Structure formats: structure tokens, C-alpha cells
């Protein structure tokens, strides 16, 4: 009952809008789903033991004794094992969520780069290094590059760090 109640609360929380642009109810829904799944774990393990043990014993005659023993052993230790299974499920869900987030971020950055950096050639002055931001390409050099007939456009810009 607790598990189904938490899953229902989680579902209802997903239907609510954000508060000041923050997905507060979304976070609460994720928490309710996580605890609902954890509370549901002993029931799922019991059901799997009841179904899988006899099913494996019927389908695979060579391991029928082992299947029934494993099923009975797991059924007897559901309270102890369910905590480990729930923790494993939560960790797999977190790993999946982080993987999705990283993939989404990577796609967003790739899209931004494709939309923003469209030039064929990028140039910078020789004296500008990772630790030295001094130096710009001179106006005379930019005019020479613009004079080349094959050059469609030149976009000159300078970067200056600003401590705030």
C-alpha cells in the first residue's frame, strides 16, 4: 500500500507546474518514485520467486532442484535482499540519468558549435598564448585578407578578460 501510494503521489506531482521556474514538484516526484520503487521491491522479489522458480524448473529439467532451492532461499531472505536490490535499482537509475544528461549536454554543445562557429579558417596572433591574451591581428593584415577574391567574409574580434 505504501509503495502504490508513493507511486501515485509521484505521478500526481508530475502533473504540477514549476514554481518560479524551478521544477520543485518534479524533484519531489522523482523522490516519491524512488521511495515507491524501494517499497515495492520486496513484493516484486516475492512475485519473481513465486513465478521464476517453478517456471525455470519446468523449462530446464537439468537445474530444477537448483532453481527451486534458489527460489526458496531468496524468498526466505527477501527482507535482507530487498534493500540491496533497491539500492542497485536506484544506482542504475542514477547512472542512466547522468548518462542521458551528459549525452544531452554533448548534443547541445555540438548544436551550438555548428550554429555559431561557421568559418573555414580561424586565425590568432602568434604572441597570444593560453596565459597571454595580449595582441590582436592588425588592421592591415585584415584588409589584406579581405582583398583576397576567394574570401567571402572576415569577422575580426578581440577577447579581453575582465575581472569582476
Amino acid at each position: 500500500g505504501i509503495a502504490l501510494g508513493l507511486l501515485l503521489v509521484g505521478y500526481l506531482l508530475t502533473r504540477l507546474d514549476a514554481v518560479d521556474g524551478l521544477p520543485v514538484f518534479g524533484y519531489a516526484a522523482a523522490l516519491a518514485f524512488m521511495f515507491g520503487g524501494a517499497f515495492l521491491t520486496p513484493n516484486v522479489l516475492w512475485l519473481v520467486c513465486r513465478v521464476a522458480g517453478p517456471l525455470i524448473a519446468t523449462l530446464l529439467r537439468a537445474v530444477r532442484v537448483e532453481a527451486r532451492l534458489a527460489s526458496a532461499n531468496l524468498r526466505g531472505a527477501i527482507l535482507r535482499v530487498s534493500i540491496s536490490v533497491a539500492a542497485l535499482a536506484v544506482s542504475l537509475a542514477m547512472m542512466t540519468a547522468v548518462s542521458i544528461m551528459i549525452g544531452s549536454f554533448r548534443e547541445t554543445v555540438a548544436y551550438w558549435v555548428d550554429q555559431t562557429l561557421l568559418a573555414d579558417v580561424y586565425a590568432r596572433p602568434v604572441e597570444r598564448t593560453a596565459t597571454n591574451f595580449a595582441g590582436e591581428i592588425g588592421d592591415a593584415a585584415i584588409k589584406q585578407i579581405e582583398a583576397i577574391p576567394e574570401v567571402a567574409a572576415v569577422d575580426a574580434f578581440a577577447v579581453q578578460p575582465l575581472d569582476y
Side-chain angles (χ1 to χ4, degrees), residues 85-164:
V85 171
L88 179 64
V90 168
S91 67
L92 286 173
M94 288 298 294
M95 184 181 71
T96 303
V98 169
S99 298
I100 290 169
M101 183 186 68
I102 290 170
S104 172
F105 182 72
R106 183 177 295 150
E107 288 295 318
T108 302
V109 169
Y111 177 77
W112 175 79
V113 167
D114 288 343
Q115 296 298 314
T116 305
L117 305 175
L118 301 173
D120 295 327
V121 177
Y122 293 90
R124 67 181 187 143
V126 175
E127 62 268 4
R128 183 175 173 186
T129 63
T131 58
N132 179 14
F133 288 98
E136 297 177 15
I137 297 177
D139 289 335
I142 291 174
K143 291 196 184 310
Q144 284 180 341
I145 295 170
E146 287 175 335
I148 300 172
E150 291 83 13
V151 174
V154 174
D155 184 19
F157 70 93
V159 176
Q160 182 67 36
L162 176 65
D163 293 330
Y164 176 70

